[in-house]
């Protein structure tokens, strides 16, 4: 017997209409926003192809090797333009007004952290490290406030690191510039991040120096997988879990000791050392107190600090070694200031020529051709009415500001004392310091996400260079010829194969 439920369904006209209406609503629900986004993208001029397959190829081959030229070409033609990325677009803006709009935009509209996640995929490597920003606040407030007290530690570690990596010799000694600087920077930075004795542990330092490369390699690898498979790819096909375990092994005894002291004596325990690890153990809440989360934070801060600082120092070192005629004026400045203020943070404040050397070197050789990456969490409208869609990544091209003739006359000429001269003009002091950010100077970003570590970095790098200037004579392999910068995508590295020659100072 055939039951009623097995009979073919008869569909009434009303049911059909309801079905078609639901289908149309569903298609509209997803396709209209998509079409709207495409319209917003289409209104922005593109540099490079616009169809998805050619765009993918362009991003993979041309953009990864010629990003700077492509972005400079776009910025010469347009204030806002887009360049193809492998799966989407990067919107590039330039000039004071756009930078100011970006600076003012709240995080729930243009997000720093979502852009970092989308471009670096950090959460696959460091779990929740991006979720809670208490460590950024610690760098912004606690580290910056403690810099005068920590100066003695920084100086002591600089002397130890240079004596070890560049012992002064009577004849010229040729050293690979970048890797030597990275070793010194890692040691000095970790004096403040984790303290003695770990900051002197070469294996721990190498683990941190290598971490950035591993993140870059790992990111490229997991990008090939669809979203759902990425956590597995990160776990099984990258070296990251192993590195985190190794880092944990180094840090665990120190983390446990600090936790034990807090438990026994409270936060003001006897023998408490001021460093980043101490502060994060003090401040972490809930799950963030676990040893692995604290380890992630140390890796993350090393990631933010070591290569940025090493690149910045190496560039300034190359620039100075290419122009030894400026060394006597710098020596005179460092010697007279140290005579007056001793080796102190206050002394660094008065080394205007040295400060200017770094700012000028960073103006010309910043760490990349774009900065201030943000992700639009909702559609965003710039003050001139330009609209960018939800989900778009937007960045600032730095060259249109840093190489602008109207802002920096003869912008292509490297003038180490350019900013020291501007600072002599009345009222121009603070705004032209190395650490100052503005709509015209965005190497550290600008606004609430401007690099919070720059005050520490400036102290560390200036103290290192002051030591180099007083201790060594320096020169390049080919007199006056700075090894060319190396570009990878939008990142600019000092030449990693180049060398600097050092000998004990003779006069
Ligand atoms: C010369 C060396 C450095 C350079 C050139 C540099 C550059 C930058 C830039 C361009 C940004 C992004 C700004 C933006 O998007 O608006 C940034 C952010 C950041 N930097 Fe640095 N940085 C340096 C050193 C350091 C150091 C030494 C530390 C830590 C001690 C550090 C910690 C951070 C952190 C935590 C952020 C994220 C800020 C936030 O979440 O709002 N940086 N840095």
């Amino acid at each position: 017997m055939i039951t009623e439920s097995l009979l073919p369904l008869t569909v009434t006209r009303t049911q059909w209409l309801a079905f078609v209406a639901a289908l149309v609503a569903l298609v509209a629900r997803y396709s209209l926003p998509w079409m709207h986004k495409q319209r917003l993208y289409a209104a922005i001029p593109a540099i490079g192809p616009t169809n998805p397959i050619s765009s993918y190829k362009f991003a993979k081959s041309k953009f990864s090797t010629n990003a700077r030229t492509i972005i400079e070409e776009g910025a010469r033609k347009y204030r806002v333009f887009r360049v193809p990325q492998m799966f989407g677009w990067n919107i590039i803006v330039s000039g004071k007004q756009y930078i100011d709009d970006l600076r003012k935009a709240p995080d729930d509209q243009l997000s720093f952290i979502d852009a970092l996640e989308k471009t670096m995929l950090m959460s696959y490597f460091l779990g929740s490290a991006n979720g809670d920003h208490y460590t950024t606040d610690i760098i912004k407030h606690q580290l910056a406030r403690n810099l005068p007290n920590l100066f003695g530690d920084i100086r002591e570690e600089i002397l130890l690191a240079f004596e070890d990596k560049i012992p002064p010799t009577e004849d010229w000694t040729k050293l690979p510039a970048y890797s030597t600087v990275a070793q010194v920077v890692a040691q000095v930075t970790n004096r403040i991040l984790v303290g003695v004795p770990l900051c002197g542990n070469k294996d721990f330092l190498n683990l941190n120096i290598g971490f950035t490369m591993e993140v870059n390699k790992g990111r490229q690898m997991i990008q090939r997988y669809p979203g759902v498979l990425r956590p597995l790819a990160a776990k099984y096909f990258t070296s990251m879990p192993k590195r985190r375990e190794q880092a944990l092994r180094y840090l665990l005894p120190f983390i446990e000791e600090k936790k034990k002291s807090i438990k026994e004596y409270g936060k003001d325990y006897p023998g408490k050392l001021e460093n980043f690890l101490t502060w994060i153990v003090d401040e972490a809440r809930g799950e963030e107190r676990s040893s692995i989360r604290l380890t992630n934070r140390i890796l993350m801060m090393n990631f933010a600090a070591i290569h940025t600082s090493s690149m910045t120092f190496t560039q300034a070192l190359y620039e100075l070694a290419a122009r030894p005629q400026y060394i006597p004026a710098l020596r005179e400045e460092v010697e007279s200031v140290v005579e007056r203020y001793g080796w102190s943070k206050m002394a660094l404040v008065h080394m205007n020529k040295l400060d200017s050397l770094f700012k000028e070197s960073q103006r010309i050789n910043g760490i990349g051709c774009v900065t201030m990456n943000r992700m639009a969490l909702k559609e965003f409208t710039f003050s001139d009415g330009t609209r960018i869609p939800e989900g778009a990544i937007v960045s600032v091209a730095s060259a249109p500001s840093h190489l602008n003739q109207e802002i920096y006359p003869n912008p292509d000429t490297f003038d180490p004392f350019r900013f020291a001269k501007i600072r002599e003009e009345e009222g121009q002091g603070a705004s032209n310091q190395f650490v100052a950010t503005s709509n015209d100077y965005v190497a550290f970003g600008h606004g609430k996400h401007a690099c919070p570590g720059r005050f520490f970095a400036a102290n560390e790098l200036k103290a290192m260079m002051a030591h180099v200037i007083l201790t060594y004579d320096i020169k390049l392999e080919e007199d006056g010829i700075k090894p060319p910068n190396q570009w990878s995508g939008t990142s600019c590295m000092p030449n990693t194969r180049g060398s600097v020659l050092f000998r004990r100072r003779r006069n």
Side-chain angles (χ1 to χ4, degrees):
M1 199 176 89
I2 301 172
T3 65
E4 201 183 289
S5 62
L6 292 176
L7 286 171
L9 283 174
T10 49
V11 181
T12 66
R13 193 164 173 271
T14 323
Q15 283 169 322
W16 261 115
L17 284 174
F19 173 72
V20 172
L23 200 67
V24 170
L26 197 72
V27 171
R29 162 86 180 72
Y30 291 100
S31 67
L32 289 181
W34 183 85
M35 279 156 56
H36 176 65
K37 278 188 192 175
Q38 299 314 305
R39 265 201 307 277
L40 291 185
Y41 275 124
I44 298 171
I47 297 290
T50 52
N51 82 63
I53 294 173
S54 320
S55 289
Y56 180 89
K57 284 191 198 151
F58 178 91
K60 204 164 171 226
S61 53
K62 276 208 177 136
F63 193 73
S64 57
T65 47
N66 286 310
R68 181 176 63 144
T69 326
I70 293 164
I71 285 175
E72 282 179 7
E73 181 199 329
R76 264 195 306 279
K77 294 183 182 158
Y78 313 106
R79 280 272 175 248
V80 187
F81 60 97
R82 57 191 166 123
V83 284
Q85 300 298 292
M86 276 195 253
F87 300 103
W89 295 96
N90 190 178
I91 296 173
I92 311 284
V93 299
S94 62
K96 284 181 200 290
Q97 192 53 56
Y98 285 106
I99 294 173
D100 211 43
D101 290 347
L102 236 61
R103 176 183 72 81
K104 286 188 202 143
D107 283 327
D108 62 0
Q109 290 184 16
L110 294 183
S111 161
F112 168 84
I113 217 74
D114 288 83
L116 183 71
E117 178 52 27
K118 181 140 186 202
T119 50
M120 300 302 298
L121 305 176
M122 276 319 258
S123 67
Y124 292 106
F125 305 126
L126 294 179
S128 75
N130 290 333
D132 175 342
H133 313 307
Y134 77 101
T135 45
T136 299
D137 289 338
I138 287 178
I139 297 293
K140 210 179 258 177
H141 303 297
Q142 241 158 309
L143 177 58
R145 201 175 46 241
N146 275 289
L147 278 177
N149 314 333
L150 292 173
F151 185 82
D153 289 358
I154 297 174
R155 166 92 178 137
E156 185 179 73
E157 209 59 45
I158 287 174
L159 297 182
L160 288 169
F162 273 98
E163 188 58 37
D164 184 39
K165 310 292 176 310
I166 318 181
T169 48
E170 297 313 318
D171 286 328
W172 291 107
T173 305
K174 187 170 105 176
L175 290 171
Y178 185 73
S179 57
T180 308
V181 168
Q183 297 280 337
V184 174
V185 166
Q187 182 169 337
V188 179
T189 305
N190 274 286
R191 174 73 182 251
I192 300 309
L193 292 184
V194 297
V196 177
L198 256 191
C199 68
N201 181 322
K202 290 194 169 110
D203 294 333
F204 176 73
L205 297 181
N206 284 332
L207 173 72
N208 280 293
I209 294 173
F211 183 74
T212 307
M213 323 296 183
E214 291 303 318
V215 168
N216 285 333
K217 263 204 300 201
R219 178 169 52 94
Q220 282 163 14
M221 207 282 298
I222 64 173
Q223 257 168 351
R224 294 189 215 132
Y225 291 86
V228 280
L229 294 180
R230 285 181 176 179
L232 292 175
K235 188 166 175 191
Y236 294 110
F237 303 145
T238 74
S239 66
M240 226 44 80
K242 199 173 114 214
R243 288 193 172 248
R244 283 164 58 186
E245 261 172 47
Q246 285 170 341
L248 177 64
R249 270 204 298 279
Y250 288 115
L251 288 162
L252 193 60
F254 301 98
I255 294 174
E256 284 184 340
E257 190 190 312
K258 286 175 200 294
K259 284 183 180 168
K260 192 166 156 253
S261 302
I262 295 180
K263 211 168 166 190
E264 275 177 33
Y265 304 102
K267 274 194 183 169
D268 292 321
Y269 53 86
K272 186 171 184 174
L273 295 172
E274 296 292 349
N275 59 48
F276 180 74
L277 182 59
T278 304
W279 299 328
I280 61 174
V281 175
D282 278 358
E283 298 299 325
R285 296 284 170 270
E287 285 187 335
E288 289 297 332
R289 283 189 68 72
S290 74
S291 301
I292 188 67
R293 291 275 174 99
L294 292 165
T295 300
N296 287 348
R297 298 292 177 160
I298 296 291
L299 286 170
M300 185 71 191
M301 214 41 84
N302 267 288
F303 177 81
I306 292 184
H307 286 278
T308 48
S309 305
S310 305
M311 292 194 277
T312 306
F313 189 86
T314 308
Q315 294 284 18
L317 184 68
Y318 277 147
E319 295 288 6
L320 187 60
R323 297 172 185 79
Q325 67 272 27
Y326 290 103
I327 293 178
L330 285 164
R331 275 187 182 149
E332 201 186 307
E333 176 178 84
V334 174
E335 276 166 352
S336 67
V337 167
V338 169
E339 200 179 300
R340 177 141 185 227
Y341 297 96
W343 280 105
S344 62
K345 181 174 180 302
M346 184 50 80
L348 295 182
V349 172
H350 290 274
M351 294 179 192
N352 293 354
K353 290 193 173 92
L354 187 60
D355 192 271
S356 177
L357 166 73
F358 278 105
K359 195 170 182 87
E360 177 73 343
S361 172
Q362 199 182 38
R363 180 182 72 81
I364 291 198
N365 317 287
I367 58 173
C369 58
V370 295
T371 179
M372 295 178 75
N373 298 324
R374 302 288 182 267
M375 181 165 154
L377 297 186
K378 41 180 96 148
E379 188 174 312
F380 181 78
T381 307
F382 284 96
S383 52
D384 67 348
T386 304
R387 287 188 295 164
I388 61 170
E390 180 190 335
I393 295 284
V394 57
S395 315
V396 169
S398 31
S401 303
H402 294 177
L403 300 179
N404 184 333
Q405 165 75 25
E406 280 165 27
I407 306 170
Y408 305 108
N410 302 320
D412 297 320
T413 306
F414 184 90
D415 175 0
F417 302 150
R418 176 189 295 270
F419 291 97
K421 285 179 253 172
I422 304 176
R423 288 178 70 181
E424 280 165 16
E425 291 164 24
E426 211 179 321
Q428 295 293 318
S431 57
N432 283 286
Q433 286 174 19
F434 178 36
V435 291
T437 68
S438 73
N439 291 339
D440 295 331
Y441 196 95
V442 286
F444 286 118
H446 185 40
K448 62 181 163 306
H449 291 292
C451 174
R454 68 192 189 281
F455 303 98
F456 166 69
N459 272 260
E460 173 188 42
L461 301 184
K462 282 165 66 181
M464 279 169 58
M465 193 63 90
H467 176 71
V468 167
I469 287 165
L470 295 195
T471 314
Y472 309 93
D473 291 329
I474 52 172
K475 67 173 187 174
L476 294 176
E477 279 181 280
E478 282 185 78
D479 279 347
I481 315 263
K482 178 179 180 266
N485 291 341
Q486 289 170 350
W487 284 85
S488 163
T490 56
S491 305
C492 174
M493 287 277 290
N495 197 299
T496 48
R497 290 180 297 276
S499 302
V500 171
L501 286 86
F502 295 83
R503 75 171 179 205
R504 189 189 300 281
R505 177 183 166 186
R506 291 211 171 149
N507 57 46

